[in-house]
């Protein structure tokens, strides 16, 4: 009449339900429930954060110009729980804006050549505050 290796009380039935703790005090159902809940909370949290980062991943993988706006909208959606920010970030990440700057610069340069004017010089670049370290050559 011993089912778990320990003697069962004489008043007990032959079949005990699985959810009752054993004679040694171990509660398998409670242990399973604790582990299940911990893993479920972490799993849902990771899924939630991955879903919120989806617009940023979409925009950064294609090197879009509006990446900063998408990132700010995704963060706003995360902290304010306003889903419209996340939807706007997702739509903005999917849109491919045309490059108007390059043709306009080309047209401006061509018009300056036709007019006989020299293009304005670019402003001088600021020097680096710390020069890059020079690689050391092996002596030999």
């Amino acid at each position: 009449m011993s089912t778990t290796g320990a003697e069962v009380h004489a008043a007990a039935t032959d079949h005990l339900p699985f959810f009752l703790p054993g004679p040694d005090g171990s509660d398998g159902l409670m242990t399973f429930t604790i582990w299940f809940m911990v893993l479920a909370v972490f799993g849902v949290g990771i899924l939630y954060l991955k879903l919120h980062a989806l617009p940023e991943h979409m925009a950064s993988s294609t090197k879009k110009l509006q990446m900063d706006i998408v990132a700010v909208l995704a963060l706003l959606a995360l902290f304010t729980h306003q889903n419209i920010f996340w939807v706007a970030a997702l739509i903005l990440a999917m849109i491919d804006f045309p490059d108007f700057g390059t043709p306009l610069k080309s047209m401006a340069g061509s018009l300056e050549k036709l007019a006989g004017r020299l293009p304005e010089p670019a402003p001088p670049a600021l020097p680096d505050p710390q020069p890059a370290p020079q690689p050391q050559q092996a002596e030999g």
Side-chain angles (χ1 to χ4, degrees), residues 1 8-17:
M1 197 163 163
V8 179
H9 193 270
T13 61
D14 290 335
H15 174 70
L16 295 176

Side-chain angles (χ1 to χ4, degrees), residues 47-119:
L47 178 70
Y48 181 74
L49 291 175
K50 285 281 189 189
L51 185 64
H52 262 284
L54 181 67
E56 289 179 77
H57 288 290
M58 288 174 62
S60 69
S61 65
T62 59
K63 307 283 190 243
K64 298 201 183 243
L65 297 174
Q66 65 268 26
M67 172 60 191
D68 292 336
I69 299 170
V70 169
V72 168
L73 284 172
L75 275 176
L76 279 173
L78 180 66
F79 291 123
T80 62
H81 300 291
Q82 299 292 321
N83 293 338
I84 190 68
F85 293 130
W86 187 84
V87 172
L90 189 64
I91 291 172
L92 195 59
M94 287 193 268
I95 293 176
D96 231 354
F97 287 117
D99 181 22
F100 291 117
T102 303
L104 288 176
K105 286 179 186 175
S106 174
M107 284 188 271
S110 298
L111 288 173
E112 284 177 348
K113 281 183 189 177
L114 285 174
R117 288 192 318 178
L118 294 175

